[in-house]
Amino acid sequence: MDEVPGATLTRYCASSVQTTRMAFHAIKSGEGDVFVSAGVETVSRYAKGTSDHWPDTQNPLFDEAWHNLGLLLARQGDDAQAIDALRRAVDLAPGSERHRPLISLARILRTTGKPDEARSLLEEAIHIAPADPEPRLALASLEADAPGGADKAREIYRQAAAMAPSDPAPHFGLGLLESRGGNAAAAEE
């Protein structure tokens, strides 16, 4: 049944009305001739009485959608909404994948003048995914821009380069850091 399209929606008691309306419009627009339309309301029978905004009531499969929405909102310049969406992605992401939205959130926080919170999130991402050089690169870049952070940035860039020797990003970052510091010989290496 993977090739059969479907939709899940939450309209509480109006779920069946909504799905019937969707099927009606699909038939009228020529998308098909026969549709299955159904709805069941059971949310009110649960202690939390909601399906989508209380703690522990969000579908963890939506973490990637929230992550993508956050990235889109950031590209559109809506940083506040992007941060909210990325925080939801972090909350929903399974433990082993949580570092990805953490990195994205940290990058936006950094650009909005919250480097300390960004640093904390990147350190958490490194802890979650110690073999992934991406959070280290983001942290090294943040440290490189911090007053007195050049030595720490240098160390982190070297760690990332050791993890992924063929990746040019840590080498480029290190070279850029050295050239900013006036060390042309080290920058060329």
Side-chain angles (χ1 to χ4, degrees):
M1 297 274 296
D2 289 340
E3 69 279 352
V4 177
T8 302
L9 54 99
T10 301
R11 295 291 183 265
Y12 304 101
C13 294
S15 295
S16 60
V17 173
Q18 179 69 44
T19 59
T20 301
R21 194 166 193 275
M22 291 166 66
F24 169 78
H25 284 283
I27 291 168
K28 291 296 275 181
S29 67
E31 293 178 25
D33 298 318
V34 178
F35 291 84
V36 175
S37 168
V40 177
E41 189 281 325
T42 60
V43 174
S44 63
R45 300 190 183 275
Y46 290 95
K48 295 184 180 179
T50 186
S51 65
D52 54 10
H53 66 277
W54 285 72
D56 303 325
T57 61
Q58 296 179 349
N59 186 336
L61 298 177
F62 293 155
D63 69 305
E64 189 175 343
W66 282 108
H67 188 183
N68 291 336
L69 177 62
L71 296 175
L72 175 67
L73 290 166
R75 275 188 228 111
Q76 293 175 340
D78 192 345
D79 292 333
Q81 291 292 330
I83 289 169
D84 288 344
L86 289 168
R87 287 191 195 282
R88 287 184 86 166
V90 168
D91 290 343
L92 291 171
S96 63
E97 291 299 313
R98 196 163 181 253
H99 67 290
R100 299 206 182 286
L102 280 170
I103 296 166
S104 298
L105 178 57
R107 286 182 172 141
I108 293 171
L109 289 170
R110 176 185 176 188
T111 63
T112 58
K114 298 176 182 153
D116 293 336
E117 188 177 356
R119 182 179 292 106
S120 175
L121 294 176
L122 291 169
E123 289 169 352
E124 183 180 349
I126 290 169
H127 179 74
I128 291 168
D132 187 347
E134 187 179 359
R136 280 184 171 75
L137 290 171
L139 182 59
S141 176
L142 181 125
E143 295 296 350
D145 290 342
D151 289 338
K152 190 169 185 178
R154 191 175 293 110
E155 176 187 337
I156 298 168
Y157 276 129
R158 287 182 178 141
Q159 290 171 0
M163 294 171 70
S166 62
D167 185 352
H171 303 286
F172 178 78
L174 191 56
L176 187 61
L177 178 68
E178 297 297 355
S179 68
R180 271 197 222 161
N183 191 349
E188 288 179 17
E189 288 179 29

